[in-house]
Amino acid sequence: MTQLGIPTSYWIDSTANPSFPQLTEDIAVDVAVIGGGIAGIATAWELVRAGREVVVIEADHLLAATTGNTTAKLSAQHGLIYDRLRSTLGESTSRAYGHDQLDAVEYVAAVADELGIDCDIERRPSISYATDAQQVSAVEAEVEAARASGLPASVVYESPLPYPIAAGVRVEDQIQFHPRKYLLGLVADLVRGGSRVFERSRVVDLSEGSPCRLTTREGAEITAVDVVVATHYPIFDRAGLFSRLTPHRELVVAGPIDPDRDPGGMYITSEDNTRSVRSAPLENGGRLLIVTGESFVPGSAGIAARAQRLAEWAERHFGMRPTYHWAAQDNSTNDGLPYIGSLHLGAEHAYVATGFGGWGMSNGVVAARLLSTLICGGRPDRDQIYDPRRVHPIVEGPGFLRANLANARRFVAGRFGASEVDTPAPGAGAVVGPRGSKCAVYRDSSGQTQVLSASCTHLGCTVAFNDLERTWDCPCHGSRFAVDGSVLQGPATEPLRRLGPDDVGA
Ligand code: FES
């Protein structure tokens, strides 16, 4: 069995960790961007360039959540999306999507070049492949749809991977890079341009108007003409996105490999139980192999076992022993397109970017350029296809029903189902207690326990223990909490409630 140790992202471990102050006083700006991941930072950077006074407000630390834990493939090729978009929403939509994704890839390369950011950009082919012969026709259809959508796609039936494939879609000249090196370069530039950045400042309230007002947990108020909610899963949802976004989490293992075993591209399976593979340059001249997979719904059981499976797969096929492991979370929309634009039907100055479907590197850049154009009063070519207010009842209907039925079941099971176990082992957590008053109990390795309410502070679903990352994860919309109850990932903004002896006995 591989010893995986404490989860640590290579991207975070291999870059400096600049720190920014907490917001403790009231401020007024042109635009307030909530969230310090790729969508927030890139949007702020675009707006500073356009002459706006911008503030970035991050609840934790910049680039430490999804962006710091990504696989960092900057590619226009997103699994088998083009055939899906073309057949459900039409060729004009799939062409627009393809154009924007290709544009985002080249845009990052141009900005890095212009600002002199050394972010390990490497041009590589992107290959989405199937190993099951029954999937060959789906792959061939995707090649045709991707080509019709403007991508230089071709079909391949062999690859440098150390196992056979049935067929793959290959798109040349995409980019793998170091996301934090790139984005920390943008942060330095936007600070030089007069923008301010605040960390450990959790926004808990938004009052829309002219101007908008934001309040942080610490009591500071930000007055802003425009507000961008770039918090991954939106902390303010005024367009019913909670019912139209599905969270999923994936595990990542990484370690040095013999450079001769580097497959020299960015690969991803088009089938279930994803395996994604790329490499990255190491400081010592070697190569780091990064393998992602074992996708699961937050709140699922047996995460440590999943990580073991992924590590064993990487060792079996590439001789890689993990020196890092981490996990990344993303949200998918029902129609496959991200939500970028106005926060809700009547919103005039509040915007959102979310639902990147695991392709946040290119979609985060698409979001930044689109939102900055909208905020600056421009007329983007095709904001309608990403508009969060769009409704495609036929295309979205089945996904909407599936997600909401699943959440209803989780809510009821969490509230009224039997408790899992009575007492967790040292180093483990469990949800215990009778119906309606469940506790999330964590016992540390010395035997001390922390007892919290198991009711998620977002909408009340019951959290479950993640035995790999030692967190409490909510299955409904993906909020995550540390064992002391503090929020690690929204949409929840409030910590899990601490329980005392009276609560537990209730
Ligand atoms: Fe919505 Fe927990 S994240 S109920």
Side-chain angles (χ1 to χ4, degrees):
M1 179 181 283
T2 309
Q3 290 300 322
L4 285 173
I6 296 170
T8 310
S9 155
Y10 169 72
W11 312 121
I12 295 173
D13 194 47
S14 58
T15 39
N17 222 339
S19 113
F20 294 90
Q22 190 172 51
L23 181 62
T24 53
E25 59 183 15
D26 296 351
I27 56 171
V29 290
D30 294 332
V31 186
V33 177
I34 314 170
I38 185 167
I41 298 289
T43 302
W45 184 78
E46 295 288 340
L47 289 163
V48 170
R49 283 217 140 181
R52 297 297 194 274
E53 187 183 5
V54 182
V55 65
V56 178
I57 311 145
E58 164 57 43
D60 187 10
H61 292 282
L62 292 188
L63 307 171
T66 297
T67 302
N69 290 284
T70 172
T71 311
K73 294 172 169 177
L74 180 59
S75 168
Q77 199 248 329
H78 298 173
L80 304 187
I81 195 169
Y82 291 98
D83 190 41
R84 177 185 172 194
L85 290 180
R86 190 169 68 157
S87 59
T88 56
L89 299 172
E91 190 162 306
S92 65
T93 298
S94 71
R95 282 194 72 81
Y97 188 81
H99 175 277
D100 291 346
Q101 303 301 323
L102 287 169
D103 215 32
V105 173
E106 296 312 316
Y107 190 74
V108 169
V111 169
D113 192 41
E114 180 193 330
L115 299 184
I117 301 172
D118 180 0
C119 52
D120 301 340
I121 285 181
E122 297 177 315
R123 292 279 182 176
R124 292 285 185 278
S126 179
I127 296 125
S128 180
Y129 66 93
T131 53
D132 180 350
Q134 295 196 338
Q135 296 298 315
V136 170
S137 58
V139 169
E140 290 170 342
E142 174 66 12
V143 171
E144 210 264 310
R147 290 181 70 82
S149 304
L151 273 71
S154 59
V155 64
V156 293
Y157 299 99
E158 293 179 340
S159 83
L161 289 167
Y163 45 84
I165 66 169
V169 186
R170 180 177 171 119
V171 177
E172 302 296 338
D173 257 351
Q174 304 303 289
I175 284 177
Q176 56 187 26
F177 73 145
H178 192 307
R180 275 179 59 97
K181 286 184 180 175
Y182 175 70
L183 290 161
L184 287 172
L186 289 197
V187 171
D189 195 57
L190 66 85
V191 169
R192 272 195 302 274
S195 173
R196 283 174 289 174
V197 177
F198 295 98
E199 294 182 318
R200 294 165 290 114
S201 305
R202 186 174 294 281
V203 173
V204 292
D205 190 42
L206 162 62
S207 166
E208 291 178 60
S210 300
C212 299
R213 294 184 198 286
L214 296 167
T215 311
T216 68
R217 173 181 292 287
E218 296 71 33
E221 186 174 275
I222 303 123
T223 306
V225 178
D226 293 289
V227 169
V228 175
V229 180
T231 55
H232 197 242
Y233 214 113
I235 56 168
F236 301 114
D237 182 16
R238 294 169 184 179
L241 298 185
F242 292 140
S243 58
R244 298 158 65 203
L245 284 168
T246 305
H248 48 92
R249 195 163 179 80
E250 282 193 310
L251 303 176
V252 186
V253 293
I257 50 160
D258 178 342
D260 291 341
R261 299 183 79 165
D262 183 348
M266 297 178 283
Y267 298 85
I268 189 166
T269 41
S270 58
E271 295 140 324
D272 287 345
N273 199 15
T274 309
R275 291 289 184 265
S276 156
V277 175
R278 62 157 283 193
S279 68
L282 288 166
E283 294 282 314
N284 64 8
R287 300 294 298 182
L288 185 83
L289 190 76
I290 302 168
V291 176
T292 306
E294 296 290 330
S295 179
F296 61 95
V297 175
S300 301
I303 311 305
R306 285 178 175 275
Q308 279 297 330
R309 271 204 297 278
L310 191 64
E312 283 162 18
W313 186 90
E315 182 166 7
R316 187 163 68 250
H317 290 296
F318 296 95
M320 184 269 272
R321 283 180 169 266
T323 50
Y324 292 94
H325 76 100
W326 65 90
Q329 193 155 313
D330 208 352
N331 309 303
S332 296
T333 63
N334 293 331
D335 62 6
L337 293 169
Y339 296 128
I340 307 167
S342 291
L343 187 60
H344 57 87
L345 211 52
E348 292 181 1
H349 296 286
Y351 302 85
V352 69
T354 188
F356 297 156
W359 299 99
M361 296 297 100
S362 57
N363 274 319
V365 173
V366 171
R369 300 179 72 193
L370 177 54
L371 291 180
S372 64
T373 304
L374 287 171
I375 289 169
C376 294
R379 292 174 61 85
D381 293 341
R382 45 180 155 269
D383 58 326
Q384 297 93 341
I385 72 166
Y386 304 112
D387 192 330
R389 302 165 296 185
R390 68 181 181 267
V391 181
H392 300 301
I394 304 228
V395 177
E396 294 193 59
F400 175 89
L401 283 177
R402 249 195 325 274
N404 285 284
L405 275 173
N407 280 347
R409 269 192 227 109
R410 287 175 191 127
F411 183 86
V412 171
R415 282 291 163 119
F416 304 115
S419 52
E420 293 172 7
V421 294
D422 286 334
T423 313
V431 174
V432 302
R435 63 173 56 186
S437 59
K438 287 188 170 178
C439 308
V441 180
Y442 173 69
R443 187 182 295 269
D444 69 21
S445 46
S446 70
Q448 296 288 317
T449 55
Q450 305 220 38
V451 183
L452 308 164
S453 164
S455 180
C456 174
T457 55
H458 176 228
L459 292 177
C461 289
T462 299
V463 297
F465 190 67
N466 177 330
D467 62 352
L468 179 70
E469 301 173 90
R470 299 196 179 175
T471 54
W472 295 106
D473 299 353
C474 180
C476 285
H477 313 106
S479 290
R480 300 178 62 246
F481 305 86
V483 289
D484 67 0
S486 55
V487 179
L488 296 173
Q489 180 140 10
T493 57
E494 298 293 326
L496 292 178
R497 191 164 62 89
R498 279 180 181 277
L499 298 182
D502 291 348
D503 299 299
V504 176

